[in-house]
Amino acid sequence: MDRQRLFIGGAWVEPDGGHYEVIDPATEAIVGRAPEASRDQVHAATAAAREAFETWSRTPAEERAAVLDRTAEIIQRNFLSYADLAQAESGATTGTARGMQVGVGAARFRRYARVEPVEQALPPQINEAGPFGRAAVMGALAVRRPVGVVTCITSYNNPWANPAGKIAPALAMGNTVVVKPAPQDPLSVYRMAEALEAAGAPPGVVNVVSGSRAEVGEAAVDSPDVDMVSFTGSTAVGQRIAEVCGRHMKRQLMELGGKGAAVVFDDADVGSAVSGIGTTFSFYSGQICTAPTRVLAQRGVYDRLVEQLAAYAGHLKVGDPREQGTVVGPVISAAHRDRVESYVELGRKEGARVAAGGERPPSDHGFYVSPTLLADCTPDMRVVREEIFGPVVVVLPFDEEGEAIALANDSDYGLIDYVWSGDVARAFRVAGRLRAGGVGINTVGRNMEAPFGGFKKSGVGRDVGSYALHAYSEVQALVWPG
């Protein structure tokens, strides 16, 4: 059984707190044993990152980019073994583990190996009242500088793409990182650290510390050596992290919860809407904050949409993610399965109609939840207002455009919403009034250069593409007499 060690200051270190078991959500077998770091070891990692920062930040951008490019090559060489591990830890289907986890992870290292300009010349300005009482022409330059030491706390639903989306742009900009992976699937992140080490990342530039206890993440946030925290996870945890960051004026990048509204108008292509909304059931088994989990259907299409969504959910194969044809794998743990099921039961009690699913799939082992559709919901129901984070979709009716906008915006969250309509002008008009960081128009697809982040309790800041380079840098103004 693999007993993983911590990665601190370029050394593989035995954990002070021993090890804990990482469980395969599909089989309930032990995948490996992850290290339990102590608070002192976490602070040792942040100190190592601080010590490495001065040299790494002054390393030419092209050399930093070369490390990222070599990391991508190493990931590609180990693609299948990495994907097998990711699948065992997270319960992802084979296609998701290979394509959306390891494949996207490698792509993100390649993306940030592309060196981009860090300087922007600003137009000269006439200063009418200069310091010596006479007008002067002033030149200026805006320059992006690294923030410093970045703590990256990652989510369990994607142990490759999510960490890579933090580590790669942070390193590209000259920061050093301490990664605290999700406790459910940390082993993949250690494989990423191995790849970075083999690619030539100097000691202390990348550090990985894991643990099942909250104190590990707390130490990685409150360390005085940390300048920024990049977090993906629940809004509740994000709020606690933000409080600590606020007290110490640490930079934040927060990608938090979501309860995405999918507004479907009478003139929509129903088949397109059903297949898009249906990704909630299958993609990461609904454990994704960007999912269109809250469907608002106009009266004229409501019954047809519910009927087709129910049929769609009923035909999805639930089971072992390694088996060919499986579309819906397990959720991450028994505790989370119980949580999702409790929401389904709550929906029943609140008066929702279970149009599909609602029962635990037959299985001797594994943490499975049936794709579930709750119809005839009302805006005040908890299943409509709270993030369930599982293969559960709720549906509400509306009459007019203004009502749809009001219902969509009646949420604590605002990550990604969706609009389906045959009237493209209306779709864009409605999108412009939605309080969400992103809006998909007749699609659930993503452009990986578009800014990603949320309004309201769905987050703070933006990343992905060039926006991540801004997120992991400070802007310095240089001014001189022209």
Side-chain angles (χ1 to χ4, degrees):
M1 202 72 66
D2 179 30
R3 287 181 175 270
Q4 179 63 54
R5 291 179 293 174
L6 305 167
F7 189 55
I8 300 174
W12 294 95
V13 179
E14 287 295 331
D16 289 343
H19 293 79
Y20 67 93
E21 295 175 347
V22 176
I23 302 299
D24 185 330
T27 66
E28 302 184 48
I30 299 173
V31 178
R33 300 184 189 276
E36 190 82 61
S38 66
R39 184 176 179 84
D40 287 345
Q41 287 181 311
V42 176
H43 283 181
T46 63
R50 171 61 60 200
E51 184 177 355
F53 172 69
E54 185 65 27
T55 300
W56 181 251
S57 63
R58 289 186 288 106
T59 299
E62 293 79 7
E63 292 183 25
R64 299 196 299 258
V67 171
L68 302 182
D69 198 43
R70 290 193 294 270
T71 301
E73 292 175 2
I74 293 167
I75 293 170
Q76 284 299 142
R77 287 203 299 269
N78 295 279
F79 184 84
L80 291 180
S81 64
Y82 286 168
D84 287 345
L85 176 59
Q87 182 174 57
E89 287 191 287
S90 68
T93 61
T94 300
T96 296
R98 293 180 180 180
M100 297 305 298
Q101 293 188 350
V102 181
V104 172
R108 286 182 169 173
F109 278 103
R110 280 195 297 269
R111 162 64 180 87
Y112 294 107
R114 301 206 310 261
V115 180
E116 297 189 8
V118 297
E119 298 180 353
Q120 178 186 1
L122 304 176
Q125 180 183 7
I126 297 177
N127 187 338
E128 297 290 352
F132 305 108
R134 61 179 181 270
V137 177
M138 305 299 293
L141 190 67
V143 185
R144 289 208 300 267
R145 305 293 192 197
V147 178
V149 175
V150 182
T151 284
C152 303
I153 302 178
T154 65
S155 60
Y156 69 70
N157 59 353
N158 196 322
W160 276 91
N162 185 257
K166 298 178 185 297
I167 296 169
L171 297 187
M173 287 307 304
N175 303 284
T176 55
V177 299
V178 175
V179 188
K180 193 280 176 186
Q184 297 91 339
D185 48 10
L187 302 178
S188 289
V189 182
Y190 285 106
R191 301 293 80 73
M192 191 180 299
E194 289 176 353
L196 281 156
E197 180 186 32
V205 168
V206 177
N207 307 268
V208 183
V209 289
S210 59
S212 61
R213 300 190 297 267
E215 68 180 39
V216 177
E218 290 169 358
V221 170
D222 66 26
S223 167
D225 285 314
V226 171
D227 301 293
M228 174 179 171
V229 177
S230 175
F231 171 71
T232 300
S234 72
T235 295
V237 174
Q239 288 172 320
R240 294 199 294 273
I241 291 173
E243 290 173 1
V244 176
C245 289
R247 287 197 298 270
H248 301 283
M249 298 302 295
K250 297 178 191 282
R251 184 82 169 270
Q252 304 169 46
L253 178 61
M254 299 281 181
E255 198 261 283
L256 307 177
K259 190 73 176 179
V263 181
V264 183
F265 286 97
D266 286 346
D267 61 355
D269 180 334
V270 175
S272 172
V274 168
S275 61
I277 296 164
T279 60
T280 302
F281 301 129
S282 56
F283 195 45
Y284 298 123
S285 301
Q287 300 167 115
I288 184 166
C289 51
T290 59
T293 57
R294 187 169 49 109
V295 179
L296 311 175
Q298 200 165 18
R299 296 278 182 186
V301 76
Y302 180 86
D303 289 338
R304 185 155 49 106
L305 184 68
V306 169
E307 180 183 355
Q308 292 191 24
L309 274 173
Y312 184 98
H315 284 96
L316 298 177
K317 180 182 176 181
V318 182
D320 190 330
R322 297 170 179 82
E323 291 184 2
Q324 188 173 6
T326 295
V327 179
V328 183
V331 296
I332 194 66
S333 66
H336 190 57
R337 176 195 60 198
D338 294 346
R339 178 182 180 274
V340 174
E341 289 179 341
S342 73
Y343 268 105
V344 175
E345 184 58 30
L346 175 63
R348 284 193 178 99
K349 292 178 180 177
E350 290 181 316
R353 173 169 60 90
V354 180
E359 303 293 338
R360 183 179 297 184
S363 178
D364 294 333
H365 47 253
F367 313 128
Y368 296 97
V369 177
S370 291
T372 299
L373 182 68
L374 300 178
D376 304 340
C377 295
T378 57
D380 59 322
M381 291 179 177
R382 284 180 58 193
V383 291
V384 172
R385 307 200 66 82
E386 299 176 12
E387 185 179 37
I388 299 173
F389 217 60
V392 180
V393 172
V394 301
V395 191
L396 301 78
F398 73 89
D399 292 303
E400 303 298 334
E401 180 179 307
E403 181 188 4
I405 294 167
L407 287 170
N409 289 335
D410 183 21
S411 174
D412 289 337
Y413 300 106
L415 188 55
I416 296 185
D417 288 343
Y418 304 86
V419 180
W420 271 275
S421 174
D423 184 340
V424 176
R426 173 168 66 176
F428 274 88
R429 181 176 67 245
V430 170
R433 294 181 62 189
L434 298 179
R435 297 285 297 161
V439 181
I441 297 175
N442 293 324
T443 184
V444 293
R446 291 265 306 280
N447 181 320
M448 296 311 293
E449 288 296 315
F452 180 73
F455 288 12
K456 299 182 281 188
K457 291 184 179 180
S458 282
V460 177
R462 297 292 182 272
D463 68 353
V464 177
S466 296
Y467 293 88
L469 299 175
H470 288 279
Y472 293 98
S473 62
E474 298 279 16
V475 177
Q476 182 184 64
L478 305 179
V479 181
W480 64 89

